[in-house]
Amino acid sequence: MTQLLVSIRDTTEAKLINDCEIAIVDIKEPNRGSLGAASPETLEAISRIISPHQTLSFAAGELLEWLSPHGQALKPSPRHYYGNLWNRFNFIKLGLAGATRSKHDWRTQLQLFFDEIPLDCKMKPVVVSYLDFEASQSPAPNDLIEFASSVDACSTILFDTFDKSKNSLANQSQPELTSLITEAKSQSLTTVLAGSITTDCLDDALTHQPDFIGVRGAVCGSHRTDSITPERVNEFVHVLQQANWNRASKKQNSS
């Protein structure tokens, strides 16, 4: 069954969704872009509100935001910047917008960031693949699947969109997206599909059988930068559960 990831931005939203049935609570700042980074202070405050049994992830922005002018070092050091958060969260994700226009190899740069994650912490890196990779000047999805499968600490890939004006289903054909998710799973990667997914396109999204669906705008007021409402979260949970049940029933009847 496909599970739900919901992205929140602050302690107010954390309190609002604390009783909702969400598999992963993700933190990001939507005013700062697709994977806008929240401050370490915000991350710590949220982690103290959310149940300790809840799986938590957060966005760390775009890789280029961390690189020095020469692109060969990280400033600041993520290891020190996130301090005691390494054992409060399960996943950290980092975007690669603009990475293909850099004169430096994005694989080396991304590994540089991943190497900052302490080996003895519970937090694991998530490789992010923007499906609008040409427009966002980020690596192609197949290259990122290959990279993610080569990193011992990484077991998850997120298929998302950099430009939130179009949903993820508009950036790839149905067969192409199915092929990407199937290939990622064949490499033992957990798959997350996000990018302006709403209840209206949920059935189409589920045909690709991702392990998780990630949302924010669909559970906000009228825009992803508005506040989340628990009513919309619960509605999405209900629609997802019903869609999962319908797909399971059809599969059982066809067999």
Side-chain angles (χ1 to χ4, degrees), residues 219-236:
V219 295
C220 291
S222 58
H223 192 268
R224 65 189 295 269
T225 57
D226 293 339
S227 180
I228 279 177
T229 67
E231 293 80 13
R232 285 182 176 266
V233 174
N234 289 330
E235 178 188 5
F236 203 101

Side-chain angles (χ1 to χ4, degrees), residues 83-131:
N84 65 349
L85 295 176
W86 295 111
N87 278 307
R88 290 178 181 248
F89 287 79
N90 302 88
F91 300 104
I92 180 172
K93 55 186 181 177
L94 187 69
L96 290 169
T100 58
R101 72 168 181 262
S102 170
K103 63 180 180 179
H104 300 286
D105 178 51
W106 62 264
R107 295 171 181 83
T108 302
Q109 293 175 321
L110 186 54
Q111 188 62 59
L112 193 68
F113 188 96
F114 286 177
D115 287 345
E116 288 279 316
I117 301 174
L119 294 176
D120 58 350
C121 77
K122 74 175 184 178
M123 194 189 307
K124 303 301 178 186
V126 174
V127 167
V128 177
S129 172
Y130 286 134
L131 295 173

Side-chain angles (χ1 to χ4, degrees), residues 18-237:
N18 220 358
D19 294 326
C20 298
E21 296 181 42
I22 301 170
I24 300 176
V25 173
D26 176 62
I27 297 94
K28 64 182 176 184
E29 176 43 65
N31 280 322
R32 296 177 183 165
S34 178
L35 292 179
S39 69
E41 293 75 19
T42 296
L43 294 172
E44 181 170 4
I46 290 174
S47 72
R48 295 184 181 280
I49 292 172
I50 300 294
S51 165
H53 304 295
Q54 176 72 61
T55 300
L56 290 172
S57 72
F58 71 89
E62 302 293 332
L63 176 61
L64 292 186
E65 297 170 347
W66 287 90
L67 294 171
S68 66
H70 298 293
Q72 297 174 314
L74 298 170
K75 292 185 178 181
S77 160
R79 185 183 296 254
H80 295 113
Y81 184 74
Y82 288 119
N84 65 349
L85 295 176
W86 295 111
N87 278 307
R88 290 178 181 248
F89 287 79
N90 302 88
F91 300 104
I92 180 172
K93 55 186 181 177
L94 187 69
L96 290 169
T100 58
R101 72 168 181 262
S102 170
K103 63 180 180 179
H104 300 286
D105 178 51
W106 62 264
R107 295 171 181 83
T108 302
Q109 293 175 321
L110 186 54
Q111 188 62 59
L112 193 68
F113 188 96
F114 286 177
D115 287 345
E116 288 279 316
I117 301 174
L119 294 176
D120 58 350
C121 77
K122 74 175 184 178
M123 194 189 307
K124 303 301 178 186
V126 174
V127 167
V128 177
S129 172
Y130 286 134
L131 295 173
D132 50 348
F133 62 98
E134 292 179 337
S136 61
Q137 297 181 306
S138 55
N142 281 312
D143 291 337
L144 286 165
I145 292 172
E146 180 183 1
F147 177 83
S149 64
S150 72
V151 178
D152 290 339
C154 178
S155 62
T156 306
I157 185 167
L158 165 64
F159 296 103
D160 203 347
T161 55
F162 181 71
D163 179 1
K164 297 301 181 183
S165 66
K166 294 181 180 179
N167 68 41
S168 55
L169 307 180
N171 286 281
Q172 297 280 323
S173 70
Q174 295 278 48
E176 287 174 334
L177 188 50
T178 296
S179 177
L180 289 174
I181 291 177
T182 300
E183 175 61 22
K185 288 186 173 185
S186 75
Q187 299 297 322
S188 300
L189 295 170
T190 298
T191 57
V192 185
L193 179 60
S196 302
I197 294 175
T198 65
T199 53
D200 292 337
C201 64
L202 183 58
D203 281 338
D204 288 337
L206 291 180
T207 62
H208 308 295
Q209 299 183 41
D211 297 299
F212 294 88
I213 290 288
V215 299
R216 175 170 174 86
V219 295
C220 291
S222 58
H223 192 268
R224 65 189 295 269
T225 57
D226 293 339
S227 180
I228 279 177
T229 67
E231 293 80 13
R232 285 182 176 266
V233 174
N234 289 330
E235 178 188 5
F236 203 101
V237 168

